[in-house]
Amino acid sequence: MRERNRLERQLGHQTEFEQALADTIELIDLAEAEAEGDRDVLAEAEKTLSDLGARVAQRRLENLLAGEADGNDAFLEVHAGAGGTESQDWAEMLLRMYVRWAEAHGHKVEWIEESPGEEAGIKSATVKIAGENAYGWLNSESGVHRLVRISPFDSQSRRHTSFASVGVYPVIDDTIAIDIQDKDLRIDTYRASGAGGQHVNRTDSAVRITHLPTNIVVQCQSDRSQHKNKAAAMNMMKARLYEMELRKREAALQALHDAKTDIGWGHQIRSYVLQPYQMVKDLRTGVEKGNAQGVLDGDLDDFMEASLSQRIEGGAGETVADLD
């Protein structure tokens, strides 16, 4: 049913585009048929064609999301790098950026786990982003993100560089079987941190699961029930193992650069500079945006589109505007 609905949406878009093009051409013909031509109508038609071209280019990129799990929901993890409060604050800013992006695209965001920093920000956090092609779009965001700014925590107002890493994993549905042996797991329970009511903080409701062969660790503390947290953590573990297998296949085909490295210098995929000037630059595709605050408010489409195009087509990182 999900595949059928996806195909129906695609056919609906195609029909809509064809009808809009035919209507615009007819409007142009009518305007030009007049003695001197209706310039206002022609200008409106040109704008309509330009908007239509941008929408077609957007759909063209979306149709490239044909990977095994591109249509799935996604788990998104953010981890602060070395640097204490600075990096923890940056990690929280990154998480807010992705939540803003998800909400702007009509996706649903569910908090899975969050470990607050000592003074500000977060040490780590995991959210589930549910929506059409959520994993396909967010997949390119995995890697290390670098921030340069005047520190609000430095009494001497010096410029600091902070790092945080982002990991994105597909939510596994029932059509994908992931076999995990009990002997390969270590399951720990602990008291949840942060706000959540007396029951959450006074019982060992939070669950941490470690996959011993790969040393992958997931944790969940979003529910008061230890059983529900364990089930959610197992889903996350399956997602991590599945995503690891996908990356092995893609690496073998040299179709995807593995950005999971140290959270520090020389490994970042994107730089966010707030002082002495404002610019966000993706180091893989070369896409730059001067409105850094807009990017931090969730304006990530240009970066995602360029990365997706480069990954699938081997292009130089074109965006919708370039494809128009």
Side-chain angles (χ1 to χ4, degrees), residues 112-116 189-207 220-224 229:
I112 302 297
E113 179 270 335
E114 181 176 322
S115 299
T189 58
Y190 59 99
R191 293 189 180 183
S193 59
Q198 295 179 347
H199 180 73
V200 170
N201 293 316
R202 293 188 179 182
T203 64
D204 292 342
S205 59
V207 175
C220 181
Q221 60 180 41
S222 61
D223 200 278
R224 295 187 176 190
N229 284 334

Side-chain angles (χ1 to χ4, degrees), residues 266-284:
H267 302 293
Q268 62 268 17
I269 63 170
R270 189 176 301 147
S271 290
Y272 305 71
V273 181
L274 302 185
Q275 277 97 13
Y277 55 89
Q278 287 209 0
M279 185 185 71
V280 179
K281 180 175 181 178
D282 195 292
L283 305 180
R284 302 162 299 176

Side-chain angles (χ1 to χ4, degrees), residues 146-302:
R146 169 176 171 256
L147 173 70
V148 179
R149 65 170 175 174
I150 301 297
S151 172
F153 307 101
D154 189 331
S155 59
Q156 299 182 31
S157 298
R158 290 172 294 188
R159 191 168 60 174
H160 285 246
T161 299
S162 307
F163 296 92
S165 70
V166 174
V168 181
Y169 317 101
V171 175
I172 305 304
D173 56 30
D174 294 337
T175 63
I176 301 173
I178 306 294
D179 184 25
I180 302 178
Q181 301 293 326
D182 291 341
K183 63 182 178 64
D184 292 335
L185 298 178
R186 184 178 74 239
I187 301 176
D188 303 308
T189 58
Y190 59 99
R191 293 189 180 183
S193 59
Q198 295 179 347
H199 180 73
V200 170
N201 293 316
R202 293 188 179 182
T203 64
D204 292 342
S205 59
V207 175
R208 180 187 298 111
I209 300 178
T210 304
H211 187 250
L212 300 176
T214 61
N215 204 32
I216 291 175
V217 180
V218 298
Q219 51 193 8
C220 181
Q221 60 180 41
S222 61
D223 200 278
R224 295 187 176 190
S225 166
Q226 183 185 112
H227 297 291
K228 290 183 179 180
N229 284 334
K230 180 180 177 181
M234 280 300 299
N235 287 334
M236 292 168 59
M237 179 62 72
K238 291 179 180 179
R240 291 287 298 271
L241 291 172
Y242 180 65
E243 190 266 349
M244 183 179 69
E245 179 61 28
L246 286 180
R247 287 194 179 273
K248 284 182 181 178
R249 297 183 200 174
E250 292 173 341
L253 297 173
Q254 295 184 342
L256 180 64
H257 173 66
D258 187 0
K260 294 183 179 182
T261 52
D262 294 336
I263 309 177
W265 288 100
H267 302 293
Q268 62 268 17
I269 63 170
R270 189 176 301 147
S271 290
Y272 305 71
V273 181
L274 302 185
Q275 277 97 13
Y277 55 89
Q278 287 209 0
M279 185 185 71
V280 179
K281 180 175 181 178
D282 195 292
L283 305 180
R284 302 162 299 176
T285 63
V287 173
E288 298 180 4
K289 292 183 76 94
N291 183 10
Q293 189 55 53
V295 174
L296 292 175
D297 285 336
D299 183 14
L300 297 169
D301 288 350
D302 287 346

Side-chain angles (χ1 to χ4, degrees), residues 12-27:
H13 291 313
Q14 178 71 15
T15 302
E16 177 188 347
F17 293 151
E18 291 178 353
Q19 186 61 51
L21 180 60
D23 291 345
T24 305
I25 292 175
E26 182 179 353
L27 186 63

